[in-house]
Amino acid sequence: LDVRERLQRQHDALSRELVRAEALDRLRWEGEMIYGFLYEIQPGQTALVVEGQTIKLDPDKPPVENAQARFREYNKAKGALAGVPERVAAVNGQLHYLDETLALLDLAEGYEAIAAIEREVEEQGMLKASGKHKVKGPRAAPLRLHSSDGLPIFVGRSAGQNEEVTFRLARPDDLWLHVHGQPGAHVVVQAEGDVPDRTLEEAAGLAAYFSKARTATSVEVIVTQRRNVRKIPGGPPGLVSYRNERAVRAAPLAPAELDQPG
């Protein structure tokens, strides 16, 4: 939680810098307008009205100096704000990763699952190892199940496993599922051709179960082909974008409730 609070403070500070960045456009516009109406500004004039907006002028300075002052302030602030949007995106990615990890940690069952998540967080540099040695928990594999129709279903139970499920185990035409707007598992159904409705319902139920929405009676789950899922460049494990999605509703389904074929 201390890590999240630190990241949130960074995010808030950077967001304030972005507000300053928005003010830069106003400075540049004012400078351009003063130059544009240079020969219409009278000595001692205190304001210039352009497009219904008032630009204050220093009556003790020539119009050119009024414009130059805007551009000097603009260039100084622009240099100070360079890279801020990229830093905001990076912090947003870390917050997303942490929220997803905390949600999956809350759902983890057993020591091995908890240790595997702790190890991943350490590797991301978000958790300092206690004592002289880092956590040496196992690199647990994603959960592998079979639907009632016999189709393989893979479930990520950590950010690293989500990465593995989506970008190493899934094929381009496989179905990819994730609860809409909530941290949770990436779920993949491997199938040659169309996925039966029963399997789709089961996979959506597993996505709901391994998410922050586990206690809900019905959850909206995003479904698309794996080819439509992209890793966010420079983002932490498990952070993706997607397109061409559709939504289905499903009740959370625990793996133990899944009817295994045969």
Side-chain angles (χ1 to χ4, degrees), residues 32-70:
E32 290 172 350
M33 291 304 100
I34 294 171
Y35 270 127
F37 291 89
L38 198 62
Y39 297 105
E40 298 181 20
I41 300 174
Q42 301 301 314
Q45 187 170 325
T46 59
L48 172 67
V49 179
V50 180
E51 299 174 358
Q53 299 189 55
T54 301
I55 301 172
K56 293 182 179 180
L57 300 174
D58 184 342
D60 296 327
K61 294 181 180 179
V64 170
E65 289 188 19
N66 272 277
Q68 290 175 342
R70 260 64 170 199

PDB file of all heavy atoms in Angstrom, residues 32-70:
ATOM      1  N   GLU A  32       1.488  35.011 -30.397  1.00  0.00           N
ATOM      2  CA  GLU A  32       1.195  35.041 -31.834  1.00  0.00           C
ATOM      3  C   GLU A  32       0.177  36.138 -32.166  1.00  0.00           C
ATOM      4  O   GLU A  32       0.289  36.813 -33.193  1.00  0.00           O
ATOM      5  CB  GLU A  32       0.670  33.673 -32.276  1.00  0.00           C
ATOM      6  CG  GLU A  32       1.739  32.584 -32.248  1.00  0.00           C
ATOM      7  CD  GLU A  32       1.158  31.201 -32.498  1.00  0.00           C
ATOM      8  OE1 GLU A  32      -0.091  31.071 -32.497  1.00  0.00           O
ATOM      9  OE2 GLU A  32       1.940  30.259 -32.699  1.00  0.00           O
ATOM     10  N   MET A  33      -0.831  36.292 -31.300  1.00  0.00           N
ATOM     11  CA  MET A  33      -1.853  37.313 -31.555  1.00  0.00           C
ATOM     12  C   MET A  33      -1.275  38.726 -31.428  1.00  0.00           C
ATOM     13  O   MET A  33      -1.623  39.615 -32.207  1.00  0.00           O
ATOM     14  CB  MET A  33      -3.023  37.132 -30.580  1.00  0.00           C
ATOM     15  CG  MET A  33      -3.854  35.876 -30.819  1.00  0.00           C
ATOM     16  SD  MET A  33      -4.528  35.746 -32.513  1.00  0.00           S
ATOM     17  CE  MET A  33      -3.353  34.598 -33.271  1.00  0.00           C
ATOM     18  N   ILE A  34      -0.393  38.924 -30.445  1.00  0.00           N
ATOM     19  CA  ILE A  34       0.221  40.252 -30.303  1.00  0.00           C
ATOM     20  C   ILE A  34       1.024  40.585 -31.555  1.00  0.00           C
ATOM     21  O   ILE A  34       0.951  41.709 -32.080  1.00  0.00           O
ATOM     22  CB  ILE A  34       1.112  40.314 -29.045  1.00  0.00           C
ATOM     23  CG1 ILE A  34       0.244  40.189 -27.788  1.00  0.00           C
ATOM     24  CG2 ILE A  34       1.892  41.629 -29.005  1.00  0.00           C
ATOM     25  CD1 ILE A  34       1.042  40.026 -26.504  1.00  0.00           C
ATOM     26  N   TYR A  35       1.778  39.611 -32.069  1.00  0.00           N
ATOM     27  CA  TYR A  35       2.515  39.840 -33.313  1.00  0.00           C
ATOM     28  C   TYR A  35       1.558  40.092 -34.470  1.00  0.00           C
ATOM     29  O   TYR A  35       1.795  40.938 -35.339  1.00  0.00           O
ATOM     30  CB  TYR A  35       3.405  38.637 -33.632  1.00  0.00           C
ATOM     31  CG  TYR A  35       4.794  38.744 -33.046  1.00  0.00           C
ATOM     32  CD1 TYR A  35       5.313  37.724 -32.254  1.00  0.00           C
ATOM     33  CD2 TYR A  35       5.588  39.847 -33.312  1.00  0.00           C
ATOM     34  CE1 TYR A  35       6.595  37.805 -31.722  1.00  0.00           C
ATOM     35  CE2 TYR A  35       6.868  39.952 -32.787  1.00  0.00           C
ATOM     36  CZ  TYR A  35       7.360  38.922 -31.988  1.00  0.00           C
ATOM     37  OH  TYR A  35       8.624  39.033 -31.460  1.00  0.00           O
ATOM     38  N   GLY A  36       0.457  39.336 -34.488  1.00  0.00           N
ATOM     39  CA  GLY A  36      -0.486  39.477 -35.596  1.00  0.00           C
ATOM     40  C   GLY A  36      -1.154  40.845 -35.650  1.00  0.00           C
ATOM     41  O   GLY A  36      -1.498  41.339 -36.730  1.00  0.00           O
ATOM     42  N   PHE A  37      -1.367  41.442 -34.488  1.00  0.00           N
ATOM     43  CA  PHE A  37      -2.026  42.752 -34.430  1.00  0.00           C
ATOM     44  C   PHE A  37      -1.039  43.857 -34.018  1.00  0.00           C
ATOM     45  O   PHE A  37      -1.430  44.885 -33.473  1.00  0.00           O
ATOM     46  CB  PHE A  37      -3.188  42.703 -33.425  1.00  0.00           C
ATOM     47  CG  PHE A  37      -4.333  41.846 -33.884  1.00  0.00           C
ATOM     48  CD1 PHE A  37      -4.350  40.487 -33.591  1.00  0.00           C
ATOM     49  CD2 PHE A  37      -5.375  42.384 -34.623  1.00  0.00           C
ATOM     50  CE1 PHE A  37      -5.397  39.680 -34.011  1.00  0.00           C
ATOM     51  CE2 PHE A  37      -6.425  41.580 -35.050  1.00  0.00           C
ATOM     52  CZ  PHE A  37      -6.443  40.221 -34.746  1.00  0.00           C
ATOM     53  N   LEU A  38       0.239  43.619 -34.314  1.00  0.00           N
ATOM     54  CA  LEU A  38       1.317  44.484 -33.852  1.00  0.00           C
ATOM     55  C   LEU A  38       1.074  45.962 -34.200  1.00  0.00           C
ATOM     56  O   LEU A  38       1.242  46.849 -33.360  1.00  0.00           O
ATOM     57  CB  LEU A  38       2.640  44.013 -34.459  1.00  0.00           C
ATOM     58  CG  LEU A  38       3.925  44.498 -33.805  1.00  0.00           C
ATOM     59  CD1 LEU A  38       4.018  44.015 -32.369  1.00  0.00           C
ATOM     60  CD2 LEU A  38       5.128  43.988 -34.605  1.00  0.00           C
ATOM     61  N   TYR A  39       0.652  46.215 -35.428  1.00  0.00           N
ATOM     62  CA  TYR A  39       0.553  47.597 -35.893  1.00  0.00           C
ATOM     63  C   TYR A  39      -0.788  48.238 -35.537  1.00  0.00           C
ATOM     64  O   TYR A  39      -1.014  49.402 -35.862  1.00  0.00           O
ATOM     65  CB  TYR A  39       0.793  47.647 -37.398  1.00  0.00           C
ATOM     66  CG  TYR A  39       2.196  47.187 -37.754  1.00  0.00           C
ATOM     67  CD1 TYR A  39       2.418  45.937 -38.324  1.00  0.00           C
ATOM     68  CD2 TYR A  39       3.296  48.001 -37.480  1.00  0.00           C
ATOM     69  CE1 TYR A  39       3.706  45.512 -38.623  1.00  0.00           C
ATOM     70  CE2 TYR A  39       4.590  47.583 -37.771  1.00  0.00           C
ATOM     71  CZ  TYR A  39       4.788  46.333 -38.345  1.00  0.00           C
ATOM     72  OH  TYR A  39       6.046  45.915 -38.633  1.00  0.00           O
ATOM     73  N   GLU A  40      -1.653  47.483 -34.855  1.00  0.00           N
ATOM     74  CA  GLU A  40      -2.917  48.047 -34.410  1.00  0.00           C
ATOM     75  C   GLU A  40      -2.878  48.422 -32.934  1.00  0.00           C
ATOM     76  O   GLU A  40      -3.788  49.075 -32.423  1.00  0.00           O
ATOM     77  CB  GLU A  40      -4.063  47.053 -34.649  1.00  0.00           C
ATOM     78  CG  GLU A  40      -4.267  46.727 -36.125  1.00  0.00           C
ATOM     79  CD  GLU A  40      -5.419  45.765 -36.352  1.00  0.00           C
ATOM     80  OE1 GLU A  40      -6.289  45.652 -35.443  1.00  0.00           O
ATOM     81  OE2 GLU A  40      -5.465  45.114 -37.414  1.00  0.00           O
ATOM     82  N   ILE A  41      -1.838  47.972 -32.229  1.00  0.00           N
ATOM     83  CA  ILE A  41      -1.722  48.250 -30.801  1.00  0.00           C
ATOM     84  C   ILE A  41      -1.128  49.644 -30.605  1.00  0.00           C
ATOM     85  O   ILE A  41      -0.064  49.968 -31.147  1.00  0.00           O
ATOM     86  CB  ILE A  41      -0.839  47.186 -30.105  1.00  0.00           C
ATOM     87  CG1 ILE A  41      -1.465  45.783 -30.284  1.00  0.00           C
ATOM     88  CG2 ILE A  41      -0.682  47.505 -28.622  1.00  0.00           C
ATOM     89  CD1 ILE A  41      -0.594  44.652 -29.752  1.00  0.00           C
ATOM     90  N   GLN A  42      -1.836  50.441 -29.835  1.00  0.00           N
ATOM     91  CA  GLN A  42      -1.416  51.823 -29.606  1.00  0.00           C
ATOM     92  C   GLN A  42      -0.487  51.914 -28.381  1.00  0.00           C
ATOM     93  O   GLN A  42      -0.563  51.078 -27.468  1.00  0.00           O
ATOM     94  CB  GLN A  42      -2.643  52.712 -29.359  1.00  0.00           C
ATOM     95  CG  GLN A  42      -3.637  52.714 -30.510  1.00  0.00           C
ATOM     96  CD  GLN A  42      -3.031  53.187 -31.802  1.00  0.00           C
ATOM     97  OE1 GLN A  42      -2.315  54.213 -31.824  1.00  0.00           O
ATOM     98  NE2 GLN A  42      -3.266  52.470 -32.900  1.00  0.00           N
ATOM     99  N   PRO A  43       0.411  52.899 -28.339  1.00  0.00           N
ATOM    100  CA  PRO A  43       1.281  53.089 -27.160  1.00  0.00           C
ATOM    101  C   PRO A  43       0.445  53.248 -25.891  1.00  0.00           C
ATOM    102  O   PRO A  43      -0.557  53.963 -25.883  1.00  0.00           O
ATOM    103  CB  PRO A  43       2.038  54.384 -27.486  1.00  0.00           C
ATOM    104  CG  PRO A  43       2.026  54.453 -28.982  1.00  0.00           C
ATOM    105  CD  PRO A  43       0.711  53.873 -29.415  1.00  0.00           C
ATOM    106  N   GLY A  44       0.839  52.563 -24.832  1.00  0.00           N
ATOM    107  CA  GLY A  44       0.132  52.645 -23.567  1.00  0.00           C
ATOM    108  C   GLY A  44      -1.109  51.771 -23.482  1.00  0.00           C
ATOM    109  O   GLY A  44      -1.808  51.776 -22.460  1.00  0.00           O
ATOM    110  N   GLN A  45      -1.395  51.016 -24.535  1.00  0.00           N
ATOM    111  CA  GLN A  45      -2.589  50.162 -24.525  1.00  0.00           C
ATOM    112  C   GLN A  45      -2.416  49.048 -23.480  1.00  0.00           C
ATOM    113  O   GLN A  45      -1.351  48.440 -23.379  1.00  0.00           O
ATOM    114  CB  GLN A  45      -2.807  49.573 -25.921  1.00  0.00           C
ATOM    115  CG  GLN A  45      -4.104  48.801 -26.073  1.00  0.00           C
ATOM    116  CD  GLN A  45      -4.381  48.463 -27.539  1.00  0.00           C
ATOM    117  OE1 GLN A  45      -4.055  49.254 -28.429  1.00  0.00           O
ATOM    118  NE2 GLN A  45      -4.980  47.314 -27.780  1.00  0.00           N
ATOM    119  N   THR A  46      -3.470  48.761 -22.721  1.00  0.00           N
ATOM    120  CA  THR A  46      -3.375  47.784 -21.618  1.00  0.00           C
ATOM    121  C   THR A  46      -3.971  46.422 -21.945  1.00  0.00           C
ATOM    122  O   THR A  46      -3.786  45.474 -21.187  1.00  0.00           O
ATOM    123  CB  THR A  46      -4.088  48.329 -20.369  1.00  0.00           C
ATOM    124  OG1 THR A  46      -5.456  48.582 -20.691  1.00  0.00           O
ATOM    125  CG2 THR A  46      -3.424  49.601 -19.877  1.00  0.00           C
ATOM    126  N   ALA A  47      -4.682  46.323 -23.052  1.00  0.00           N
ATOM    127  CA  ALA A  47      -5.293  45.039 -23.389  1.00  0.00           C
ATOM    128  C   ALA A  47      -5.553  44.955 -24.882  1.00  0.00           C
ATOM    129  O   ALA A  47      -5.732  45.976 -25.564  1.00  0.00           O
ATOM    130  CB  ALA A  47      -6.591  44.830 -22.612  1.00  0.00           C
ATOM    131  N   LEU A  48      -5.560  43.718 -25.382  1.00  0.00           N
ATOM    132  CA  LEU A  48      -5.890  43.434 -26.775  1.00  0.00           C
ATOM    133  C   LEU A  48      -6.981  42.376 -26.771  1.00  0.00           C
ATOM    134  O   LEU A  48      -6.823  41.316 -26.152  1.00  0.00           O
ATOM    135  CB  LEU A  48      -4.648  42.923 -27.522  1.00  0.00           C
ATOM    136  CG  LEU A  48      -4.874  42.404 -28.945  1.00  0.00           C
ATOM    137  CD1 LEU A  48      -5.276  43.561 -29.876  1.00  0.00           C
ATOM    138  CD2 LEU A  48      -3.601  41.712 -29.462  1.00  0.00           C
ATOM    139  N   VAL A  49      -8.091  42.650 -27.436  1.00  0.00           N
ATOM    140  CA  VAL A  49      -9.201  41.699 -27.495  1.00  0.00           C
ATOM    141  C   VAL A  49      -9.178  41.010 -28.855  1.00  0.00           C
ATOM    142  O   VAL A  49      -9.258  41.661 -29.905  1.00  0.00           O
ATOM    143  CB  VAL A  49     -10.558  42.403 -27.277  1.00  0.00           C
ATOM    144  CG1 VAL A  49     -11.704  41.392 -27.380  1.00  0.00           C
ATOM    145  CG2 VAL A  49     -10.583  43.089 -25.918  1.00  0.00           C
ATOM    146  N   VAL A  50      -9.049  39.676 -28.826  1.00  0.00           N
ATOM    147  CA  VAL A  50      -9.008  38.869 -30.042  1.00  0.00           C
ATOM    148  C   VAL A  50      -9.961  37.688 -29.874  1.00  0.00           C
ATOM    149  O   VAL A  50      -9.889  36.972 -28.864  1.00  0.00           O
ATOM    150  CB  VAL A  50      -7.584  38.335 -30.321  1.00  0.00           C
ATOM    151  CG1 VAL A  50      -7.580  37.504 -31.587  1.00  0.00           C
ATOM    152  CG2 VAL A  50      -6.590  39.476 -30.422  1.00  0.00           C
ATOM    153  N   GLU A  51     -10.857  37.517 -30.836  1.00  0.00           N
ATOM    154  CA  GLU A  51     -11.790  36.397 -30.823  1.00  0.00           C
ATOM    155  C   GLU A  51     -12.567  36.327 -29.503  1.00  0.00           C
ATOM    156  O   GLU A  51     -12.821  35.257 -28.949  1.00  0.00           O
ATOM    157  CB  GLU A  51     -11.050  35.070 -31.060  1.00  0.00           C
ATOM    158  CG  GLU A  51     -10.333  35.026 -32.400  1.00  0.00           C
ATOM    159  CD  GLU A  51      -9.492  33.768 -32.564  1.00  0.00           C
ATOM    160  OE1 GLU A  51      -9.437  32.950 -31.620  1.00  0.00           O
ATOM    161  OE2 GLU A  51      -8.902  33.600 -33.650  1.00  0.00           O
ATOM    162  N   GLY A  52     -12.883  37.503 -28.978  1.00  0.00           N
ATOM    163  CA  GLY A  52     -13.654  37.558 -27.739  1.00  0.00           C
ATOM    164  C   GLY A  52     -12.840  37.302 -26.483  1.00  0.00           C
ATOM    165  O   GLY A  52     -13.398  37.240 -25.387  1.00  0.00           O
ATOM    166  N   GLN A  53     -11.533  37.147 -26.615  1.00  0.00           N
ATOM    167  CA  GLN A  53     -10.667  36.892 -25.472  1.00  0.00           C
ATOM    168  C   GLN A  53      -9.731  38.076 -25.252  1.00  0.00           C
ATOM    169  O   GLN A  53      -9.223  38.659 -26.217  1.00  0.00           O
ATOM    170  CB  GLN A  53      -9.857  35.612 -25.681  1.00  0.00           C
ATOM    171  CG  GLN A  53     -10.732  34.371 -25.836  1.00  0.00           C
ATOM    172  CD  GLN A  53      -9.908  33.112 -25.830  1.00  0.00           C
ATOM    173  OE1 GLN A  53      -9.136  32.859 -24.910  1.00  0.00           O
ATOM    174  NE2 GLN A  53     -10.063  32.290 -26.856  1.00  0.00           N
ATOM    175  N   THR A  54      -9.508  38.376 -23.978  1.00  0.00           N
ATOM    176  CA  THR A  54      -8.690  39.542 -23.624  1.00  0.00           C
ATOM    177  C   THR A  54      -7.259  39.137 -23.295  1.00  0.00           C
ATOM    178  O   THR A  54      -7.022  38.250 -22.472  1.00  0.00           O
ATOM    179  CB  THR A  54      -9.306  40.272 -22.413  1.00  0.00           C
ATOM    180  OG1 THR A  54     -10.634  40.693 -22.743  1.00  0.00           O
ATOM    181  CG2 THR A  54      -8.460  41.493 -22.050  1.00  0.00           C
ATOM    182  N   ILE A  55      -6.320  39.800 -23.967  1.00  0.00           N
ATOM    183  CA  ILE A  55      -4.894  39.595 -23.713  1.00  0.00           C
ATOM    184  C   ILE A  55      -4.373  40.843 -23.010  1.00  0.00           C
ATOM    185  O   ILE A  55      -4.410  41.949 -23.568  1.00  0.00           O
ATOM    186  CB  ILE A  55      -4.117  39.375 -25.033  1.00  0.00           C
ATOM    187  CG1 ILE A  55      -4.675  38.169 -25.781  1.00  0.00           C
ATOM    188  CG2 ILE A  55      -2.622  39.212 -24.755  1.00  0.00           C
ATOM    189  CD1 ILE A  55      -4.097  38.001 -27.176  1.00  0.00           C
ATOM    190  N   LYS A  56      -3.896  40.685 -21.791  1.00  0.00           N
ATOM    191  CA  LYS A  56      -3.384  41.827 -21.035  1.00  0.00           C
ATOM    192  C   LYS A  56      -2.026  42.264 -21.592  1.00  0.00           C
ATOM    193  O   LYS A  56      -1.185  41.419 -21.927  1.00  0.00           O
ATOM    194  CB  LYS A  56      -3.260  41.481 -19.556  1.00  0.00           C
ATOM    195  CG  LYS A  56      -4.604  41.256 -18.874  1.00  0.00           C
ATOM    196  CD  LYS A  56      -4.419  40.970 -17.396  1.00  0.00           C
ATOM    197  CE  LYS A  56      -5.757  40.761 -16.709  1.00  0.00           C
ATOM    198  NZ  LYS A  56      -5.596  40.486 -15.245  1.00  0.00           N
ATOM    199  N   LEU A  57      -1.813  43.535 -21.645  1.00  0.00           N
ATOM    200  CA  LEU A  57      -0.558  44.098 -22.140  1.00  0.00           C
ATOM    201  C   LEU A  57       0.080  44.969 -21.071  1.00  0.00           C
ATOM    202  O   LEU A  57      -0.620  45.622 -20.286  1.00  0.00           O
ATOM    203  CB  LEU A  57      -0.819  44.938 -23.396  1.00  0.00           C
ATOM    204  CG  LEU A  57      -1.449  44.223 -24.603  1.00  0.00           C
ATOM    205  CD1 LEU A  57      -1.775  45.245 -25.683  1.00  0.00           C
ATOM    206  CD2 LEU A  57      -0.513  43.149 -25.126  1.00  0.00           C
ATOM    207  N   ASP A  58       1.412  44.979 -21.071  1.00  0.00           N
ATOM    208  CA  ASP A  58       2.153  45.892 -20.193  1.00  0.00           C
ATOM    209  C   ASP A  58       2.271  47.218 -20.937  1.00  0.00           C
ATOM    210  O   ASP A  58       2.991  47.301 -21.954  1.00  0.00           O
ATOM    211  CB  ASP A  58       3.530  45.319 -19.886  1.00  0.00           C
ATOM    212  CG  ASP A  58       4.317  46.170 -18.892  1.00  0.00           C
ATOM    213  OD1 ASP A  58       3.952  47.363 -18.711  1.00  0.00           O
ATOM    214  OD2 ASP A  58       5.284  45.656 -18.302  1.00  0.00           O
ATOM    215  N   PRO A  59       1.589  48.235 -20.476  1.00  0.00           N
ATOM    216  CA  PRO A  59       1.584  49.515 -21.225  1.00  0.00           C
ATOM    217  C   PRO A  59       2.941  50.192 -21.270  1.00  0.00           C
ATOM    218  O   PRO A  59       3.160  51.086 -22.101  1.00  0.00           O
ATOM    219  CB  PRO A  59       0.561  50.363 -20.464  1.00  0.00           C
ATOM    220  CG  PRO A  59       0.560  49.795 -19.072  1.00  0.00           C
ATOM    221  CD  PRO A  59       0.800  48.322 -19.247  1.00  0.00           C
ATOM    222  N   ASP A  60       3.856  49.786 -20.390  1.00  0.00           N
ATOM    223  CA  ASP A  60       5.175  50.411 -20.354  1.00  0.00           C
ATOM    224  C   ASP A  60       6.150  49.768 -21.340  1.00  0.00           C
ATOM    225  O   ASP A  60       7.294  50.224 -21.452  1.00  0.00           O
ATOM    226  CB  ASP A  60       5.757  50.346 -18.946  1.00  0.00           C
ATOM    227  CG  ASP A  60       4.939  51.144 -17.937  1.00  0.00           C
ATOM    228  OD1 ASP A  60       4.368  52.179 -18.339  1.00  0.00           O
ATOM    229  OD2 ASP A  60       4.852  50.714 -16.774  1.00  0.00           O
ATOM    230  N   LYS A  61       5.698  48.705 -22.012  1.00  0.00           N
ATOM    231  CA  LYS A  61       6.577  48.013 -22.960  1.00  0.00           C
ATOM    232  C   LYS A  61       5.998  48.081 -24.361  1.00  0.00           C
ATOM    233  O   LYS A  61       4.781  48.068 -24.541  1.00  0.00           O
ATOM    234  CB  LYS A  61       6.751  46.546 -22.549  1.00  0.00           C
ATOM    235  CG  LYS A  61       7.496  46.349 -21.239  1.00  0.00           C
ATOM    236  CD  LYS A  61       7.630  44.858 -20.932  1.00  0.00           C
ATOM    237  CE  LYS A  61       8.382  44.642 -19.620  1.00  0.00           C
ATOM    238  NZ  LYS A  61       8.486  43.181 -19.296  1.00  0.00           N
ATOM    239  N   PRO A  62       6.864  48.122 -25.367  1.00  0.00           N
ATOM    240  CA  PRO A  62       6.380  48.087 -26.752  1.00  0.00           C
ATOM    241  C   PRO A  62       5.678  46.752 -27.028  1.00  0.00           C
ATOM    242  O   PRO A  62       5.945  45.746 -26.352  1.00  0.00           O
ATOM    243  CB  PRO A  62       7.658  48.217 -27.582  1.00  0.00           C
ATOM    244  CG  PRO A  62       8.674  48.774 -26.643  1.00  0.00           C
ATOM    245  CD  PRO A  62       8.323  48.267 -25.290  1.00  0.00           C
ATOM    246  N   PRO A  63       4.777  46.700 -28.000  1.00  0.00           N
ATOM    247  CA  PRO A  63       4.084  45.458 -28.325  1.00  0.00           C
ATOM    248  C   PRO A  63       5.023  44.280 -28.594  1.00  0.00           C
ATOM    249  O   PRO A  63       4.749  43.152 -28.178  1.00  0.00           O
ATOM    250  CB  PRO A  63       3.291  45.832 -29.584  1.00  0.00           C
ATOM    251  CG  PRO A  63       3.065  47.304 -29.457  1.00  0.00           C
ATOM    252  CD  PRO A  63       4.312  47.838 -28.808  1.00  0.00           C
ATOM    253  N   VAL A  64       6.134  44.562 -29.277  1.00  0.00           N
ATOM    254  CA  VAL A  64       7.074  43.476 -29.578  1.00  0.00           C
ATOM    255  C   VAL A  64       7.595  42.839 -28.294  1.00  0.00           C
ATOM    256  O   VAL A  64       7.703  41.612 -28.188  1.00  0.00           O
ATOM    257  CB  VAL A  64       8.248  43.988 -30.435  1.00  0.00           C
ATOM    258  CG1 VAL A  64       9.332  42.930 -30.539  1.00  0.00           C
ATOM    259  CG2 VAL A  64       7.765  44.393 -31.824  1.00  0.00           C
ATOM    260  N   GLU A  65       7.925  43.666 -27.303  1.00  0.00           N
ATOM    261  CA  GLU A  65       8.438  43.122 -26.045  1.00  0.00           C
ATOM    262  C   GLU A  65       7.356  42.339 -25.298  1.00  0.00           C
ATOM    263  O   GLU A  65       7.635  41.343 -24.630  1.00  0.00           O
ATOM    264  CB  GLU A  65       8.984  44.245 -25.167  1.00  0.00           C
ATOM    265  CG  GLU A  65      10.278  44.844 -25.684  1.00  0.00           C
ATOM    266  CD  GLU A  65      10.892  45.819 -24.693  1.00  0.00           C
ATOM    267  OE1 GLU A  65      10.533  45.771 -23.496  1.00  0.00           O
ATOM    268  OE2 GLU A  65      11.740  46.636 -25.115  1.00  0.00           O
ATOM    269  N   ASN A  66       6.101  42.774 -25.400  1.00  0.00           N
ATOM    270  CA  ASN A  66       5.000  42.012 -24.812  1.00  0.00           C
ATOM    271  C   ASN A  66       4.930  40.610 -25.427  1.00  0.00           C
ATOM    272  O   ASN A  66       4.763  39.615 -24.722  1.00  0.00           O
ATOM    273  CB  ASN A  66       3.672  42.743 -25.017  1.00  0.00           C
ATOM    274  CG  ASN A  66       3.359  43.736 -23.914  1.00  0.00           C
ATOM    275  OD1 ASN A  66       2.844  43.374 -22.864  1.00  0.00           O
ATOM    276  ND2 ASN A  66       3.684  45.007 -24.155  1.00  0.00           N
ATOM    277  N   ALA A  67       5.063  40.546 -26.740  1.00  0.00           N
ATOM    278  CA  ALA A  67       5.020  39.247 -27.423  1.00  0.00           C
ATOM    279  C   ALA A  67       6.230  38.398 -27.053  1.00  0.00           C
ATOM    280  O   ALA A  67       6.104  37.198 -26.755  1.00  0.00           O
ATOM    281  CB  ALA A  67       4.959  39.455 -28.932  1.00  0.00           C
ATOM    282  N   GLN A  68       7.409  39.010 -27.062  1.00  0.00           N
ATOM    283  CA  GLN A  68       8.630  38.269 -26.749  1.00  0.00           C
ATOM    284  C   GLN A  68       8.594  37.707 -25.329  1.00  0.00           C
ATOM    285  O   GLN A  68       9.095  36.609 -25.072  1.00  0.00           O
ATOM    286  CB  GLN A  68       9.846  39.157 -26.953  1.00  0.00           C
ATOM    287  CG  GLN A  68      10.124  39.479 -28.412  1.00  0.00           C
ATOM    288  CD  GLN A  68      11.261  40.466 -28.588  1.00  0.00           C
ATOM    289  OE1 GLN A  68      11.645  41.183 -27.655  1.00  0.00           O
ATOM    290  NE2 GLN A  68      11.800  40.524 -29.800  1.00  0.00           N
ATOM    291  N   ALA A  69       8.011  38.462 -24.398  1.00  0.00           N
ATOM    292  CA  ALA A  69       7.910  37.989 -23.018  1.00  0.00           C
ATOM    293  C   ALA A  69       7.088  36.703 -22.956  1.00  0.00           C
ATOM    294  O   ALA A  69       7.414  35.779 -22.200  1.00  0.00           O
ATOM    295  CB  ALA A  69       7.289  39.064 -22.137  1.00  0.00           C
ATOM    296  N   ARG A  70       6.000  36.663 -23.758  1.00  0.00           N
ATOM    297  CA  ARG A  70       5.187  35.437 -23.804  1.00  0.00           C
ATOM    298  C   ARG A  70       6.010  34.258 -24.319  1.00  0.00           C
ATOM    299  O   ARG A  70       5.975  33.166 -23.755  1.00  0.00           O
ATOM    300  CB  ARG A  70       3.988  35.641 -24.726  1.00  0.00           C
ATOM    301  CG  ARG A  70       2.665  35.940 -24.077  1.00  0.00           C
ATOM    302  CD  ARG A  70       2.619  37.216 -23.330  1.00  0.00           C
ATOM    303  NE  ARG A  70       1.263  37.588 -22.918  1.00  0.00           N
ATOM    304  CZ  ARG A  70       0.932  38.818 -22.573  1.00  0.00           C
ATOM    305  NH1 ARG A  70       1.843  39.780 -22.591  1.00  0.00           N
ATOM    306  NH2 ARG A  70      -0.293  39.087 -22.175  1.00  0.00           N
TER     307      ARG A  70
END
